[in-house]
Amino acid sequence: MAPSKIKNFFLKKRAEAKLKLGVTGPGRKLNSEAPPPSAKASSSKQKDVYIPPKRSELSAEAKAAANAALARFEGKDKKEFNTSLAAIRAQVRKELEAEKKAKEAGHSSDHGETGDQDTAQEAAASRQDYAVRGVFFRCPMIGDEILPYKEWKGRIKEFLYEQLAADRGLTACLIIYNCNPKDKAELCIETLTKCIENIVNNPNEEKYKKIRMTNRMFCDKIKVCEGSLDFLHAAGFVEIELDNEPHLIWSEDNIDPECSLEVLLEALKAAEPIPVELDRNLQVLLPSQVKQSNLPPDFFRISPEEIKREQQLRTEALEQAQILKTKAMREREELRTVNRYKFSLVRVRFPNGVYLQGTFSVYEKFGQVYEFVQSCLMHESAEFSLVLPGGQKFDVQEDLDKTLYDLRLVPTVVFNFMYENESKNLTDFLKEELMLLIQSF
């Protein structure tokens, strides 16, 4: 069956890529020691939970250097990473003092800078004020990198064209579906399907074995799509000149030896986009780092210019019309704001002052946020709640299947973390390996 051929195609290519890189398993080279087995047994209760990406363990020297820096910072000789509230407050004071000094230095400096320099500084400050660097994705079928969506689309296209010579027919099906706009790809697939079905169902009809390449239907529906000509060549069509016009002529002798029209037809119908998964871009932050609130353009459905224009129009409207809004008016304005975003930045504040941050699609369910937080806890089996600053607590039974869009948890939301019931006395929160991320500021 073609779907299994597609699956085997990727399994084979991934195995070949790993051998070329000298890798025998996830994250391990041939000349390295095997990683220790996971200490945590998989739970039968949890399924489809978020698994934080494995990060390389710090060396003993790196840990010692980090501990020494923290010890100097707090004026104490500590040998373990300090995640206490006192250490966090000390870091906040340090950053506030540095910010104050920077502002004072700025006021005392020469103000004779040009307008262009001011604009450049404002742009740089805006970039530094982003709450997150961007939105990133994974594509397990192709590789292990974490990249922006546009880079993955380019990487997928490059990967498919590299496989074209070895497996022309199957690869061409995937190119059609993954390297063209969806509407064009679907129209091309529909037209190619009819061409091949006509030959299969009418093997003695010569008219179905010839395609004039200047035909309008061919030009508008097939030729415009990447991979379409490669598919036709794999299916047995060859380009020749007839009556001073280019034609594609079909012959059974020209079909790729490892394929048949039936297999190619099924592969064409079964082709799907190569899945690209949203990466959580997990971060652990100090309170001072959460001051950053601006979202990068990747979070928006519209362009930065449109965002700026919309904000300006809304500001002008508020200045000109200071009127009481009805509930319906407020709901329409809220919906209009929510519809501008594709992603939501979720932050969870723990009682020790540390924040956990992750990126979600606005159409992901609240249950996925809950599972993400649960997977990061030192005590994963503990009961807990996520509470909004106003005190609203989400019902585990009713709200888990609702999307962030439905709950209006867009574009950013901050939850307060609370242990519940028998877990109320717990004082440990995030896993130790995640707490090490807090050193990156």
Side-chain angles (χ1 to χ4, degrees), residues 226-242:
E226 290 189 53
S228 59
L229 290 178
D230 291 296
F231 175 83
L232 289 171
H233 292 153
F237 284 89
V238 177
E239 293 184 36
I240 66 170
E241 194 88 9
L242 286 178

Side-chain angles (χ1 to χ4, degrees), residues 44-108:
S44 59
K45 294 188 204 174
Q46 294 179 343
K47 55 182 181 179
D48 299 329
V49 299
Y50 171 76
I51 301 175
K54 292 184 179 179
R55 302 175 188 272
S56 56
E57 185 69 23
L58 291 180
S59 64
E61 293 80 3
K63 285 183 178 179
N67 292 336
L70 282 169
R72 288 195 302 273
F73 172 66
E74 293 182 283
K76 300 175 184 179
D77 186 17
K78 294 192 176 183
K79 295 184 179 180
E80 295 182 357
F81 179 70
N82 191 344
T83 58
S84 68
L85 188 59
I88 294 170
R89 286 174 175 168
Q91 176 62 25
V92 172
R93 285 197 299 272
K94 177 182 177 182
E95 291 180 352
L96 289 175
E97 289 173 3
E99 184 179 343
K100 183 178 178 181
K101 289 180 181 179
K103 286 183 179 179
E104 290 174 353
H107 285 305
S108 61

Side-chain angles (χ1 to χ4, degrees), residues 334-362:
E334 181 185 26
L335 190 61
R336 191 163 54 247
T337 300
V338 169
N339 285 336
R340 292 166 51 196
Y341 298 92
K342 296 184 289 185
F343 303 99
S344 182
L345 190 68
V346 175
R347 286 167 168 166
V348 179
R349 183 185 183 277
F350 291 88
N352 63 355
V354 171
Y355 285 77
L356 174 70
Q357 178 175 288
T359 302
F360 291 79
S361 163
V362 297

Side-chain angles (χ1 to χ4, degrees), residues 32-317:
S32 67
E33 296 181 1
S38 174
K40 179 191 166 192
S42 58
S43 172
S44 59
K45 294 188 204 174
Q46 294 179 343
K47 55 182 181 179
D48 299 329
V49 299
Y50 171 76
I51 301 175
K54 292 184 179 179
R55 302 175 188 272
S56 56
E57 185 69 23
L58 291 180
S59 64
E61 293 80 3
K63 285 183 178 179
N67 292 336
L70 282 169
R72 288 195 302 273
F73 172 66
E74 293 182 283
K76 300 175 184 179
D77 186 17
K78 294 192 176 183
K79 295 184 179 180
E80 295 182 357
F81 179 70
N82 191 344
T83 58
S84 68
L85 188 59
I88 294 170
R89 286 174 175 168
Q91 176 62 25
V92 172
R93 285 197 299 272
K94 177 182 177 182
E95 291 180 352
L96 289 175
E97 289 173 3
E99 184 179 343
K100 183 178 178 181
K101 289 180 181 179
K103 286 183 179 179
E104 290 174 353
H107 285 305
S108 61
S109 63
D110 181 24
H111 297 285
E113 300 180 34
T114 65
D116 289 341
Q117 289 174 325
D118 290 338
T119 304
Q121 288 179 352
E122 287 177 8
S126 175
R127 286 193 297 273
Q128 291 175 356
D129 196 37
Y130 282 155
V132 64
R133 290 188 298 116
V135 179
F136 301 93
F137 295 83
R138 299 170 179 271
C139 185
M141 281 189 174
I142 306 298
D144 299 321
E145 298 91 344
I146 300 173
L147 303 168
Y149 184 77
K150 287 184 178 179
E151 287 189 33
W152 264 126
K153 294 303 288 185
R155 187 73 64 88
I156 289 171
K157 182 175 180 178
E158 180 182 342
F159 170 84
L160 290 175
Y161 272 99
E162 286 175 354
Q163 317 311 320
L164 199 55
D167 201 336
R168 195 174 197 178
L170 187 56
T171 306
C173 295
L174 293 169
I175 290 175
I176 292 171
Y177 216 108
N178 287 276
C179 302
N180 297 289
K182 185 179 179 181
D183 55 341
K184 286 186 177 181
E186 290 178 347
L187 191 59
C188 178
I189 289 171
E190 180 184 347
T191 309
L192 288 173
T193 299
K194 289 180 181 178
C195 291
I196 303 303
E197 285 180 342
N198 284 336
I199 295 174
V200 172
N201 297 329
N202 306 278
N204 298 320
E205 289 284 349
E206 294 297 324
K207 64 179 181 180
Y208 295 128
K209 301 176 183 179
K210 181 171 64 175
I211 301 174
R212 183 163 53 88
M213 298 183 72
T214 54
N215 179 285
R216 184 173 180 180
M217 181 203 71
F218 178 83
C219 293
D220 293 345
K221 297 181 180 181
I222 297 179
K223 193 176 180 180
V224 292
C225 279
E226 290 189 53
S228 59
L229 290 178
D230 291 296
F231 175 83
L232 289 171
H233 292 153
F237 284 89
V238 177
E239 293 184 36
I240 66 170
E241 194 88 9
L242 286 178
D243 301 326
N244 296 322
E245 282 190 302
H247 283 72
L248 285 168
I249 304 299
W250 181 84
S251 171
E252 188 174 1
D253 297 334
N254 296 323
I255 301 176
D256 279 0
E258 296 184 2
C259 284
S260 66
L261 288 184
E262 289 77 12
V263 169
L264 287 173
L265 191 59
E266 194 173 354
L268 188 63
K269 294 177 181 178
E272 295 178 347
I274 295 174
V276 177
E277 304 168 0
L278 177 66
D279 181 71
R280 293 289 177 234
N281 194 14
L282 186 155
Q283 293 184 41
V284 181
L285 307 170
L286 295 174
S288 56
Q289 296 171 304
V290 182
K291 292 187 303 181
Q292 299 169 331
S293 57
N294 291 340
L295 294 174
D298 293 350
F299 272 73
F300 294 85
R301 296 184 187 279
I302 56 181
S303 67
E305 292 75 19
E306 291 172 313
I307 294 169
K308 188 174 181 180
R309 184 165 61 251
E310 186 175 317
Q311 290 173 337
Q312 184 177 358
L313 290 173
R314 187 166 63 251
T315 302
E316 293 174 356

